[in-house]
Amino acid sequence: MELSEDELVAAISRVLSGEQPGVVLGLGDDAAVLEPASGQQILTTDLLIEGVHFDPASISPHDLGAKAVTVNVSDVAAMGGSPRAAVASIVLRTDVEAAWVMELYAGMRDACTDYALSLVGGDTNRGPAVVVSVTVVGEVAPGRAVTRSGARPGDQIVVTGSLGAAAGGFAVSKASAARVGEALSAPWGRELVDAFERPVARVGEGQVLARRGATAMMDLSDGLAKDLHRLCAASGVGARLELEAIPVAPALRAATEWLEADPLELAVGFGEDYELLATFGEGDVDRAREGLDPFGVTLTAVGTIIEGSGIVAVDADGRDAPLEAKGWDHFS
């Protein structure tokens, strides 16, 4: 990259130029200045690290930038909030081209437009691997944030959308060139890759679930098994999970032969789906499901919160067994 840091920041600022509602002072100063929030603030941050979360050879910089924003917006959505502003810091290898960086920020810009938030600052630095760190500020009405700790025995466990497509997309991204070509020639191939590289944050859906009585909620970033264990631990309860009820992504089922893996196992134990996991009191699930109709998003009941601790998984024949907290773990 031939640009100096100041020249790079100036180029990034041009990519991100435009009106930003609620922003008094945006890019270009020591810090951004925002209008006061009307509710309580939500703050979240996430890292995408080369070699851990992504391979630059298998994801475009535009999709990487958009994903870096989206995974943070998903955390805000999981609390029933609205995203408001973001800052993005990047670490770049010396051989990264300026054009790659511009496209990365174009992806961030486009995701911010999709979710109605403003990218107002950040930092740039050098390092041995590319790192993209985004922090998002959101807001929620006072006392209305939905946490992981509200589930109670008798609550129904639900998930939005379908699960496992991102696992299939990850498998395609790691395959040999010949097998990637084979996957992308099938109708399910591009759908799986898009699910992994271009996740969707369920912002409106999260707000509907919050308004319609969700007692606990979180996004499925690390897999249903691991994240349900976390929700149960935070709430001091256990769970009974009906495996046959889990909505496995149709594209993942279609790829079973290519993957040589059990789609249900991937849907339960991989992650990166960014769907919402929530719990509702008895009788509230139908109201919540109706609220999602305008979004065209399904809401599936997959189990029940029980007293005690741990998760029992029940198969199609009614046999039950403890469910391990398998899923994405950055330290394993």
Side-chain angles (χ1 to χ4, degrees), residues 155-202:
D155 284 356
Q156 297 296 296
I157 305 165
V158 300
V159 295
T160 60
S162 61
L163 307 182
F170 177 80
V172 172
S173 74
K174 292 297 184 182
S176 65
R179 280 180 51 77
V180 169
E182 180 185 349
L184 294 182
S185 69
W188 45 263
R190 175 47 59 185
E191 186 175 341
L192 295 180
V193 171
D194 284 350
F196 179 62
E197 296 182 352
R198 302 169 186 150
V200 175
R202 301 294 192 188

Side-chain angles (χ1 to χ4, degrees), residues 179 182 188 252-261 263:
R179 280 180 51 77
E182 180 185 349
W188 45 263
L252 184 67
R253 289 197 185 278
T256 300
E257 185 176 344
W258 184 91
L259 289 166
E260 299 178 346

Side-chain angles (χ1 to χ4, degrees), residues 17-45:
S17 63
E19 184 178 352
Q20 296 180 307
V23 178
V24 178
L25 182 63
L27 292 165
D29 219 296
D30 290 331
V33 180
L34 308 180
E35 295 284 0
S38 58
Q40 292 177 329
Q41 291 191 320
I42 301 170
L43 184 65
T44 185
T45 191

Side-chain angles (χ1 to χ4, degrees), residues 65-78:
K67 185 173 183 177
V69 171
T70 300
V71 299
N72 283 278
V73 171
S74 182
D75 286 334
V76 175

Side-chain angles (χ1 to χ4, degrees), residues 163-245:
L163 307 182
F170 177 80
V172 172
S173 74
K174 292 297 184 182
S176 65
R179 280 180 51 77
V180 169
E182 180 185 349
L184 294 182
S185 69
W188 45 263
R190 175 47 59 185
E191 186 175 341
L192 295 180
V193 171
D194 284 350
F196 179 62
E197 296 182 352
R198 302 169 186 150
V200 175
R202 301 294 192 188
V203 178
E205 296 91 329
Q207 293 169 0
V208 168
L209 298 185
R211 289 196 301 268
R212 300 213 170 189
T215 54
M217 189 157 60
M218 65 184 296
D219 72 336
L220 288 171
S221 57
D222 293 333
L224 177 59
K226 183 174 285 291
D227 287 332
L228 182 55
H229 268 281
R230 288 168 172 163
L231 186 148
C232 288
S235 296
V237 295
R240 185 177 177 87
L241 185 66
E242 304 291 340
L243 295 177
E244 284 299 299

Side-chain angles (χ1 to χ4, degrees), residues 12 44 51 53 58 63 77-78 93 113 126 132 164 166 168-169 190 195 199 206 220 247 256 271 274 280 292 319 325:
I12 291 170
T44 185
H53 302 98
S58 62
D63 286 347
R93 288 181 276 101
T113 298
R126 290 288 192 197
V132 184
R190 175 47 59 185
L220 288 171
T256 300
Y274 298 99
F280 282 86
L292 295 188
R319 296 186 296 260

